[in-house]
Amino acid sequence: MSRIAVIFTIATSIIVGVHVYIWFRLVRETALPPPWRAIATLALILLGASIPTMFLLRGNPVARDVLKWPGYAWMGFMFILFFALLASDVARLVAWIGGRLGGAPPADPARRLWLSRMIGGSVAALAGGAGAAAMVSALGRVKVKEVEIPLRRLPASMDGFTVAQITDCHVGSMLGRAFLAEVVESINAMKPDLVAITGDLVDGGVDELAAAVAPLADLRAKHGVYFVTGNHEYYSGVEAWMAHLPSLGIRVLRNERVTIGEGEVSFDLAGIDDWNARGMAPGHGPDLRGALAGRDPRRELVLLAHQPRAVIEAAALGVGLQLSGHTHGGQIWPWTYFVYLQQPFVAGLGRERDTHIYVSRGTGFWGPPMRLLAPAEITKVVLRSVV
Protein backbone atom coordinates (compact mmCIF):
# COMPACT_ATOMS: atom_id res chain seq x y z
CA MET A 1 0.00 0.00 0.00
CA SER A 2 1.36 3.44 -0.95
CA ARG A 3 2.19 6.09 1.63
CA ILE A 4 -0.72 8.26 0.43
CA ALA A 5 -3.15 5.33 0.75
CA VAL A 6 -1.94 4.63 4.29
CA ILE A 7 -2.37 8.28 5.30
CA PHE A 8 -5.84 8.39 3.70
CA THR A 9 -6.89 5.21 5.50
CA ILE A 10 -5.69 6.49 8.87
CA ALA A 11 -7.33 9.89 8.36
CA THR A 12 -10.62 8.29 7.31
CA SER A 13 -10.56 6.02 10.35
CA ILE A 14 -10.09 9.04 12.62
CA ILE A 15 -12.95 10.87 10.89
CA VAL A 16 -15.23 7.86 11.37
CA GLY A 17 -14.26 7.60 15.04
CA VAL A 18 -14.90 11.29 15.66
CA HIS A 19 -18.33 11.08 14.03
CA VAL A 20 -19.27 8.02 16.06
CA TYR A 21 -18.33 9.92 19.21
CA ILE A 22 -20.37 12.98 18.14
CA TRP A 23 -23.35 10.74 17.29
CA PHE A 24 -23.12 8.98 20.65
CA ARG A 25 -23.03 12.26 22.57
CA LEU A 26 -25.58 14.29 20.62
CA VAL A 27 -27.97 11.63 19.30
CA ARG A 28 -27.88 8.47 21.35
CA GLU A 29 -27.14 9.94 24.78
CA THR A 30 -29.73 12.69 24.38
CA ALA A 31 -32.33 10.14 23.22
CA LEU A 32 -33.48 12.26 20.31
CA PRO A 33 -37.06 11.33 19.40
CA PRO A 34 -38.11 10.41 15.86
CA PRO A 35 -37.86 11.78 13.27
CA TRP A 36 -34.99 13.95 14.61
CA ARG A 37 -32.89 10.92 15.52
CA ALA A 38 -32.96 9.62 11.94
CA ILE A 39 -32.39 13.11 10.47
CA ALA A 40 -29.40 13.80 12.74
CA THR A 41 -27.90 10.37 12.06
CA LEU A 42 -28.22 10.76 8.29
CA ALA A 43 -26.79 14.28 8.43
CA LEU A 44 -23.73 13.08 10.33
CA ILE A 45 -23.20 10.24 7.86
CA LEU A 46 -23.43 12.56 4.84
CA LEU A 47 -21.28 15.29 6.37
CA GLY A 48 -18.68 12.79 7.50
CA ALA A 49 -18.59 11.14 4.07
CA SER A 50 -18.15 14.52 2.37
CA ILE A 51 -14.63 14.93 3.79
CA PRO A 52 -12.87 11.85 2.34
CA THR A 53 -15.03 12.03 -0.80
CA MET A 54 -13.86 15.60 -1.38
CA PHE A 55 -10.23 14.45 -1.40
CA LEU A 56 -10.93 11.37 -3.52
CA LEU A 57 -12.64 13.50 -6.19
CA ARG A 58 -10.27 16.48 -6.05
CA GLY A 59 -9.13 15.73 -9.61
CA ASN A 60 -12.66 16.35 -10.88
CA PRO A 61 -13.21 20.14 -11.04
CA VAL A 62 -17.02 19.91 -10.93
CA ALA A 63 -17.12 17.53 -7.95
CA ARG A 64 -14.41 19.50 -6.18
CA ASP A 65 -16.28 22.78 -6.53
CA VAL A 66 -19.53 21.20 -5.30
CA LEU A 67 -17.98 19.49 -2.28
CA LYS A 68 -15.28 21.93 -1.18
CA TRP A 69 -17.46 24.33 0.84
CA PRO A 70 -19.59 21.80 2.73
CA GLY A 71 -16.63 19.42 3.11
CA TYR A 72 -14.08 21.94 4.37
CA ALA A 73 -16.60 23.90 6.44
CA TRP A 74 -17.83 20.75 8.18
CA MET A 75 -14.23 19.68 8.77
CA GLY A 76 -13.75 22.84 10.81
CA PHE A 77 -17.06 22.61 12.67
CA MET A 78 -16.37 18.93 13.38
CA PHE A 79 -13.02 19.79 14.93
CA ILE A 80 -14.48 22.52 17.15
CA LEU A 81 -17.47 20.37 18.14
CA PHE A 82 -15.28 17.38 18.98
CA PHE A 83 -13.04 19.31 21.36
CA ALA A 84 -15.99 21.14 22.91
CA LEU A 85 -17.72 17.82 23.63
CA LEU A 86 -14.49 16.35 24.92
CA ALA A 87 -14.05 19.29 27.31
CA SER A 88 -17.63 18.87 28.54
CA ASP A 89 -17.02 15.18 29.16
CA VAL A 90 -13.91 15.95 31.19
CA ALA A 91 -15.92 18.45 33.24
CA ARG A 92 -18.68 15.88 33.77
CA LEU A 93 -16.16 13.27 34.85
CA VAL A 94 -14.60 15.64 37.37
CA ALA A 95 -18.07 16.55 38.70
CA TRP A 96 -19.02 12.85 38.95
CA ILE A 97 -15.82 11.99 40.84
CA GLY A 98 -16.39 14.94 43.17
CA GLY A 99 -19.96 13.84 43.79
CA ARG A 100 -18.96 10.27 44.53
CA LEU A 101 -16.24 11.36 46.90
CA GLY A 102 -18.70 13.73 48.58
CA GLY A 103 -21.26 10.99 49.06
CA ALA A 104 -23.87 12.44 46.71
CA PRO A 105 -26.48 9.92 45.54
CA PRO A 106 -26.43 8.86 41.86
CA ALA A 107 -28.62 10.98 39.60
CA ASP A 108 -31.88 9.37 38.53
CA PRO A 109 -32.33 8.48 34.82
CA ALA A 110 -34.65 11.42 34.13
CA ARG A 111 -32.12 13.88 35.54
CA ARG A 112 -29.24 12.26 33.62
CA LEU A 113 -31.21 12.59 30.38
CA TRP A 114 -32.04 16.24 31.13
CA LEU A 115 -28.36 16.97 31.83
CA SER A 116 -27.26 15.20 28.64
CA ARG A 117 -29.69 17.25 26.57
CA MET A 118 -28.77 20.53 28.26
CA ILE A 119 -25.03 19.95 27.92
CA GLY A 120 -25.28 18.57 24.39
CA GLY A 121 -27.45 21.43 23.19
CA SER A 122 -25.27 24.06 24.86
CA VAL A 123 -22.06 22.59 23.47
CA ALA A 124 -23.51 22.31 19.95
CA ALA A 125 -24.67 25.94 20.09
CA LEU A 126 -21.30 27.09 21.40
CA ALA A 127 -19.44 25.17 18.71
CA GLY A 128 -21.74 26.55 16.04
CA GLY A 129 -21.17 30.12 17.21
CA ALA A 130 -17.41 29.62 17.43
CA GLY A 131 -17.34 28.11 13.95
CA ALA A 132 -19.35 31.00 12.49
CA ALA A 133 -17.01 33.53 14.11
CA ALA A 134 -14.01 31.58 12.80
CA MET A 135 -15.40 31.72 9.25
CA VAL A 136 -15.94 35.47 9.48
CA SER A 137 -12.34 35.84 10.67
CA ALA A 138 -10.90 33.71 7.85
CA LEU A 139 -12.94 35.19 5.02
CA GLY A 140 -12.60 38.86 5.98
CA ARG A 141 -9.97 41.27 4.70
CA VAL A 142 -6.54 40.44 6.09
CA LYS A 143 -5.19 43.05 8.50
CA VAL A 144 -1.66 44.37 8.71
CA LYS A 145 0.21 43.52 11.90
CA GLU A 146 3.29 45.58 12.74
CA VAL A 147 6.20 44.27 14.78
CA GLU A 148 9.53 45.94 15.58
CA ILE A 149 12.62 43.76 15.85
CA PRO A 150 16.00 45.02 17.14
CA LEU A 151 19.09 43.79 15.30
CA ARG A 152 22.50 44.53 16.77
CA ARG A 153 24.42 44.38 13.47
CA LEU A 154 21.99 46.44 11.40
CA PRO A 155 23.60 49.70 10.22
CA ALA A 156 22.20 52.73 12.02
CA SER A 157 21.30 54.31 8.68
CA MET A 158 19.00 51.35 7.96
CA ASP A 159 17.01 51.78 11.16
CA GLY A 160 13.32 51.56 10.28
CA PHE A 161 13.87 49.30 7.25
CA THR A 162 10.51 47.60 6.58
CA VAL A 163 9.85 44.09 5.36
CA ALA A 164 6.34 43.12 4.31
CA GLN A 165 5.97 39.40 5.00
CA ILE A 166 3.21 37.22 3.64
CA THR A 167 3.10 33.46 3.98
CA ASP A 168 0.75 30.51 3.65
CA CYS A 169 -1.57 32.24 1.21
CA HIS A 170 -2.68 28.85 -0.14
CA VAL A 171 -4.07 30.29 -3.35
CA GLY A 172 -6.14 27.52 -4.91
CA SER A 173 -9.70 26.27 -4.94
CA MET A 174 -10.80 28.34 -1.91
CA LEU A 175 -8.75 31.53 -2.24
CA GLY A 176 -8.10 33.10 -5.61
CA ARG A 177 -7.18 36.21 -7.57
CA ALA A 178 -9.48 38.63 -5.70
CA PHE A 179 -8.00 37.60 -2.36
CA LEU A 180 -4.43 38.02 -3.59
CA ALA A 181 -5.21 41.37 -5.22
CA GLU A 182 -6.42 42.69 -1.83
CA VAL A 183 -3.23 41.43 -0.18
CA VAL A 184 -1.06 43.17 -2.79
CA GLU A 185 -3.03 46.39 -2.34
CA SER A 186 -2.44 46.30 1.43
CA ILE A 187 1.28 45.64 0.98
CA ASN A 188 1.77 48.45 -1.50
CA ALA A 189 -0.08 50.83 0.81
CA MET A 190 2.58 50.34 3.50
CA LYS A 191 5.37 51.13 0.98
CA PRO A 192 7.78 48.46 2.24
CA ASP A 193 11.48 48.39 1.49
CA LEU A 194 11.32 44.66 0.77
CA VAL A 195 8.66 41.97 0.38
CA ALA A 196 9.25 38.44 1.69
CA ILE A 197 6.99 35.52 0.73
CA THR A 198 7.87 32.65 3.04
CA GLY A 199 6.27 29.69 1.28
CA ASP A 200 2.98 27.85 0.75
CA LEU A 201 1.87 30.44 -1.77
CA VAL A 202 -0.17 27.99 -3.84
CA ASP A 203 -2.17 24.78 -3.77
CA GLY A 204 -2.21 23.79 -7.41
CA GLY A 205 -0.19 23.88 -10.61
CA VAL A 206 0.92 26.82 -12.71
CA ASP A 207 -1.45 25.89 -15.51
CA GLU A 208 -4.36 26.11 -13.09
CA LEU A 209 -3.36 29.12 -10.97
CA ALA A 210 -1.24 31.41 -13.17
CA ALA A 211 -4.09 33.91 -13.50
CA ALA A 212 -4.86 33.77 -9.77
CA VAL A 213 -1.30 34.72 -8.75
CA ALA A 214 -0.90 37.36 -11.48
CA PRO A 215 -1.55 40.26 -9.01
CA LEU A 216 1.84 39.52 -7.44
CA ALA A 217 3.40 41.27 -10.43
CA ASP A 218 2.00 44.53 -9.03
CA LEU A 219 4.00 44.31 -5.79
CA ARG A 220 6.24 47.30 -5.28
CA ALA A 221 9.27 47.43 -2.96
CA LYS A 222 12.52 49.37 -3.26
CA HIS A 223 14.71 46.32 -2.66
CA GLY A 224 12.55 43.74 -4.41
CA VAL A 225 10.32 40.74 -3.73
CA TYR A 226 11.80 37.46 -2.49
CA PHE A 227 10.35 33.97 -2.15
CA VAL A 228 11.28 30.67 -0.53
CA THR A 229 9.49 27.38 -0.96
CA GLY A 230 7.05 25.86 1.50
CA ASN A 231 5.98 22.24 1.65
CA HIS A 232 2.88 22.90 -0.48
CA GLU A 233 4.97 24.08 -3.44
CA TYR A 234 6.31 20.54 -3.55
CA TYR A 235 2.77 19.17 -3.84
CA SER A 236 2.02 21.63 -6.65
CA GLY A 237 4.80 21.24 -9.21
CA VAL A 238 7.70 23.08 -7.63
CA GLU A 239 9.92 23.28 -10.73
CA ALA A 240 7.18 24.91 -12.78
CA TRP A 241 6.54 27.45 -10.03
CA MET A 242 10.24 28.23 -9.65
CA ALA A 243 10.30 29.00 -13.37
CA HIS A 244 7.09 31.05 -13.31
CA LEU A 245 7.59 33.31 -10.29
CA PRO A 246 10.52 35.29 -11.80
CA SER A 247 8.18 36.33 -14.61
CA LEU A 248 6.18 38.16 -11.92
CA GLY A 249 9.26 40.00 -10.68
CA ILE A 250 9.85 37.64 -7.74
CA ARG A 251 13.36 36.45 -6.87
CA VAL A 252 13.38 32.85 -5.65
CA LEU A 253 16.05 32.16 -3.04
CA ARG A 254 17.12 28.53 -3.04
CA ASN A 255 19.84 28.04 -0.46
CA GLU A 256 21.45 31.31 -1.40
CA ARG A 257 22.30 34.74 -0.06
CA VAL A 258 21.95 38.22 -1.52
CA THR A 259 22.97 41.70 -0.41
CA ILE A 260 20.22 44.17 0.44
CA GLY A 261 21.47 47.74 0.11
CA GLU A 262 24.87 48.98 -0.98
CA GLY A 263 28.32 49.08 0.60
CA GLU A 264 28.30 49.64 4.33
CA VAL A 265 24.59 50.46 4.25
CA SER A 266 23.45 46.89 3.70
CA PHE A 267 22.69 43.51 5.24
CA ASP A 268 22.56 39.90 4.05
CA LEU A 269 19.30 38.19 3.12
CA ALA A 270 19.32 34.41 2.80
CA GLY A 271 16.65 31.91 1.86
CA ILE A 272 16.50 28.12 2.07
CA ASP A 273 14.32 25.36 0.66
CA ASP A 274 11.52 23.98 2.80
CA TRP A 275 12.54 21.68 5.66
CA ASN A 276 10.81 18.68 4.01
CA ALA A 277 12.03 19.37 0.46
CA ARG A 278 14.79 16.79 0.41
CA GLY A 279 13.54 13.75 -1.47
CA MET A 280 10.45 15.56 -2.78
CA ALA A 281 12.19 16.99 -5.85
CA PRO A 282 15.63 16.26 -7.35
CA GLY A 283 18.30 18.59 -6.00
CA HIS A 284 16.01 20.23 -3.44
CA GLY A 285 16.45 20.43 0.31
CA PRO A 286 17.56 23.06 2.85
CA ASP A 287 21.26 23.91 2.93
CA LEU A 288 21.80 26.84 5.24
CA ARG A 289 25.54 26.26 5.56
CA GLY A 290 25.87 26.42 1.80
CA ALA A 291 23.82 29.61 1.66
CA LEU A 292 26.05 31.28 4.26
CA ALA A 293 29.42 30.06 3.00
CA GLY A 294 31.97 32.83 2.87
CA ARG A 295 29.83 35.54 4.47
CA ASP A 296 31.24 38.23 6.74
CA PRO A 297 29.95 37.43 10.27
CA ARG A 298 30.03 41.13 11.17
CA ARG A 299 27.15 41.81 8.78
CA GLU A 300 23.52 41.48 9.80
CA LEU A 301 21.75 38.43 8.44
CA VAL A 302 18.03 37.88 7.86
CA LEU A 303 16.86 34.38 6.91
CA LEU A 304 13.68 33.37 5.10
CA ALA A 305 12.72 29.80 6.06
CA HIS A 306 9.22 28.40 5.76
CA GLN A 307 9.28 26.21 8.86
CA PRO A 308 10.19 27.63 12.28
CA ARG A 309 12.25 24.57 13.26
CA ALA A 310 15.01 25.79 10.94
CA VAL A 311 15.84 28.30 13.71
CA ILE A 312 17.87 25.78 15.70
CA GLU A 313 20.52 25.60 12.98
CA ALA A 314 20.08 29.30 12.19
CA ALA A 315 20.96 30.24 15.78
CA ALA A 316 24.08 28.07 15.63
CA LEU A 317 25.20 29.82 12.44
CA GLY A 318 24.75 33.41 13.59
CA VAL A 319 21.49 34.41 11.91
CA GLY A 320 20.13 37.65 13.37
CA LEU A 321 16.48 37.19 12.37
CA GLN A 322 14.48 34.36 10.86
CA LEU A 323 11.09 34.99 9.22
CA SER A 324 8.84 31.93 9.00
CA GLY A 325 5.28 30.74 8.58
CA HIS A 326 3.90 27.19 8.12
CA THR A 327 2.06 26.90 11.44
CA HIS A 328 -0.93 29.17 10.68
CA GLY A 329 -0.73 29.95 14.41
CA GLY A 330 -2.71 26.73 14.83
CA GLN A 331 -5.50 28.21 12.64
CA ILE A 332 -8.30 26.69 14.74
CA TRP A 333 -7.85 26.73 18.50
CA PRO A 334 -6.97 24.48 20.35
CA TRP A 335 -4.91 22.97 17.51
CA THR A 336 -2.31 25.60 18.41
CA TYR A 337 -1.01 23.42 21.24
CA PHE A 338 -0.57 20.38 19.00
CA VAL A 339 1.65 22.36 16.61
CA TYR A 340 4.22 22.66 19.41
CA LEU A 341 4.80 18.91 19.03
CA GLN A 342 6.48 19.66 15.69
CA GLN A 343 7.67 23.27 15.85
CA PRO A 344 9.59 25.16 18.56
CA PHE A 345 7.66 28.39 17.82
CA VAL A 346 4.07 28.69 16.63
CA ALA A 347 3.22 32.39 16.35
CA GLY A 348 4.67 35.81 17.00
CA LEU A 349 8.11 36.93 18.07
CA GLY A 350 10.47 34.53 19.80
CA ARG A 351 14.15 34.00 20.40
CA GLU A 352 16.58 31.10 20.07
CA ARG A 353 19.89 32.03 21.69
CA ASP A 354 20.94 35.27 19.93
CA THR A 355 18.58 34.75 16.98
CA HIS A 356 15.20 36.46 16.79
CA ILE A 357 12.43 34.58 15.02
CA TYR A 358 9.09 35.88 13.86
CA VAL A 359 6.44 33.31 12.93
CA SER A 360 3.49 34.71 10.99
CA ARG A 361 0.07 33.17 11.54
CA GLY A 362 -0.28 33.15 7.78
CA THR A 363 -2.13 35.26 5.25
CA GLY A 364 -4.64 32.73 3.95
CA PHE A 365 -5.85 29.42 5.31
CA TRP A 366 -5.70 25.75 4.43
CA GLY A 367 -8.64 23.36 4.59
CA PRO A 368 -11.52 24.73 6.67
CA PRO A 369 -12.28 28.39 5.85
CA MET A 370 -11.90 29.17 9.53
CA ARG A 371 -9.53 30.95 11.89
CA LEU A 372 -10.37 30.64 15.56
CA LEU A 373 -8.20 32.75 17.88
CA ALA A 374 -5.51 32.78 15.18
CA PRO A 375 -6.25 35.70 12.84
CA ALA A 376 -4.58 35.94 9.45
CA GLU A 377 -1.99 38.64 8.96
CA ILE A 378 0.14 40.61 6.57
CA THR A 379 3.18 41.39 8.67
CA LYS A 380 4.99 44.71 8.61
CA VAL A 381 8.38 43.90 10.10
CA VAL A 382 10.26 47.03 11.12
CA LEU A 383 13.98 46.42 11.63
CA ARG A 384 15.61 48.51 14.34
CA SER A 385 19.32 49.19 14.70
CA VAL A 386 20.66 48.60 18.20
CA VAL A 387 24.04 49.95 19.23
Side-chain angles (χ1 to χ4, degrees):
M1 186 180 290
S2 70
R3 180 172 176 268
I4 293 177
V6 171
I7 293 173
F8 181 81
T9 301
I10 293 172
T12 301
S13 299
I14 293 172
I15 290 169
V16 170
V18 168
H19 280 78
V20 169
Y21 170 68
I22 293 173
W23 178 86
F24 181 84
R25 288 286 283 105
L26 295 183
V27 179
R28 184 180 185 278
E29 200 172 75
T30 59
L32 281 181
W36 301 110
R37 183 184 182 93
I39 292 172
T41 300
L42 180 60
L44 282 172
I45 292 172
L46 293 176
L47 288 168
S50 72
I51 299 174
T53 303
M54 174 180 60
F55 286 102
L56 283 173
L57 299 180
R58 66 186 182 278
N60 184 313
V62 176
R64 181 191 63 198
D65 290 344
V66 169
L67 289 172
K68 66 183 181 182
W69 280 102
Y72 278 127
W74 173 245
M75 184 190 297
F77 278 109
M78 175 195 72
F79 177 84
I80 296 170
L81 181 58
F82 171 76
F83 277 99
L85 286 170
L86 194 62
S88 73
D89 280 346
V90 171
R92 291 174 71 185
L93 178 61
V94 170
W96 179 83
I97 292 173
R100 297 294 289 177
L101 292 176
D108 63 83
R111 179 172 173 76
R112 282 201 302 270
L113 178 59
W114 179 82
L115 282 172
S116 293
R117 288 177 172 175
M118 285 294 295
I119 293 172
S122 298
V123 168
L126 177 65
M135 290 189 74
V136 170
S137 175
L139 297 174
R141 189 177 182 110
V142 183
K143 295 181 179 180
V144 174
K145 179 181 178 181
E146 182 171 333
V147 58
E148 295 191 355
I149 303 176
L151 297 176
R152 58 186 175 83
R153 295 172 298 189
L154 186 72
S157 54
M158 299 189 81
D159 181 74
F161 188 99
T162 59
V163 178
Q165 181 197 7
I166 58 173
T167 188
D168 301 279
C169 292
H170 291 285
V171 174
S173 63
M174 301 288 280
L175 294 170
R177 185 186 181 104
F179 159 76
L180 205 54
E182 280 191 354
V183 170
V184 169
E185 181 183 0
S186 295
I187 291 174
N188 287 341
M190 73 171 76
K191 298 180 179 178
D193 294 302
L194 183 147
V195 176
I197 307 173
T198 50
D200 280 10
L201 173 64
V202 293
D203 277 313
V206 172
D207 55 342
E208 178 186 4
L209 298 177
V213 302
L216 291 175
D218 296 327
L219 283 170
R220 297 290 179 263
K222 178 180 178 181
H223 294 278
V225 182
Y226 294 87
F227 173 88
V228 292
T229 58
N231 52 305
H232 280 249
E233 271 70 53
Y234 291 91
Y235 311 145
S236 305
V238 67
E239 296 293 355
W241 279 112
M242 297 307 94
H244 182 71
L245 290 177
S247 71
L248 303 176
I250 299 172
R251 171 72 183 273
V252 179
L253 294 179
R254 292 204 50 236
N255 301 321
E256 56 189 312
R257 182 180 82 255
V258 295
T259 297
I260 303 300
E262 295 182 1
E264 296 297 320
V265 185
S266 64
F267 64 88
D268 291 335
L269 178 73
I272 57 174
D273 290 348
D274 179 66
W275 179 276
N276 296 326
R278 190 166 286 109
M280 297 183 73
H284 286 250
D287 181 11
L288 183 56
R289 288 188 180 275
L292 304 186
R295 68 172 294 271
D296 184 348
R298 295 171 298 179
R299 291 171 53 79
E300 193 53 83
L301 173 61
V302 176
L303 172 66
L304 308 183
H306 180 62
Q307 298 197 35
R309 53 185 166 177
V311 76
I312 306 301
E313 183 182 22
L317 296 179
V319 170
L321 168 64
Q322 176 177 315
L323 297 178
S324 296
H326 184 65
T327 68
H328 296 208
Q331 188 166 316
I332 301 177
W333 188 90
W335 188 252
T336 310
Y337 304 110
F338 292 92
V339 181
Y340 280 108
L341 298 175
Q342 187 195 48
Q343 302 290 340
F345 299 93
V346 173
L349 188 60
R351 187 161 183 160
E352 178 71 23
R353 294 163 59 177
D354 291 330
T355 299
H356 295 282
I357 178 171
Y358 185 80
V359 182
S360 167
R361 290 185 174 89
T363 311
F365 56 81
W366 182 87
M370 295 181 179
R371 278 188 167 273
L372 183 61
L373 301 180
E377 64 181 82
I378 298 166
T379 316
K380 180 179 181 181
V381 180
V382 182
L383 305 183
R384 292 298 183 189
S385 176
V386 178
V387 180

